Amino acid sequence: VECDKMKIDAEQQARVSIKDNEAKLKVSESNAEAMLARAEAEEKGAQALEEKRRYELEWARIGVLQKMAGQSGRRLFISGDKGRDIMRDLVPQAQSEKGKLAKVSSNPYRGP
């Protein structure tokens, strides 16, 4: 009788332990699915944010160029790489016959 009681208690404990671990497994699977969904949403959001940042940076760059151009009565002389970069930003590059972009000269008085 004592042995049967111990056997029944052990079997009951085993069943409870199995159910408890099955529930933990389901919770872990649900958490993993949630993590994957969150990662996918973050990836899509990152792509959208990248485009937004690019847009904001372009407007900030245009604002700087506008301030430089709007300083009346003041002449700016910028040479070297910085001057060439500013000229590239200000002057649209024309297409040549071969489909290549025309080179912008570092000396605006010399031509390409």
Side-chain angles (χ1 to χ4, degrees), residues 3-78:
C3 271
D4 288 339
K5 186 178 178 186
M6 288 175 60
K7 181 182 172 186
I8 292 171
D9 286 345
E11 288 173 351
Q12 186 178 3
Q13 258 184 342
R15 282 193 292 267
V16 168
S17 179
I18 289 170
K19 291 293 182 184
D20 186 42
N21 287 325
E22 287 174 349
K24 287 180 182 178
L25 177 62
K26 285 184 181 181
V27 168
S28 296
E29 288 173 346
S30 295
N31 286 341
E33 288 175 10
M35 287 174 69
L36 287 173
R38 189 174 20 240
E40 288 175 9
E42 285 178 7
E43 179 183 10
K44 289 178 184 175
Q47 292 171 354
L49 284 176
E50 179 182 350
E51 185 64 31
K52 180 182 178 215
R53 284 189 201 108
R54 192 175 307 133
Y55 175 82
E56 290 172 348
L57 282 172
E58 181 63 17
W59 275 104
R61 183 187 70 79
I62 290 171
V64 168
L65 292 174
Q66 190 175 28
K67 283 183 183 179
M68 287 173 60
Q71 293 178 349
S72 62
R74 203 172 150 192
R75 291 183 176 235
L76 293 175
F77 184 77
I78 303 171

Side-chain angles (χ1 to χ4, degrees), residues 91-110:
V91 179
Q93 295 178 338
Q95 291 283 337
S96 69
E97 300 97 40
K98 295 179 183 177
K100 296 181 182 177
L101 292 176
K103 182 180 176 188
V104 175
S105 173
S106 59
N107 183 347
Y109 301 107
R110 256 196 353 219

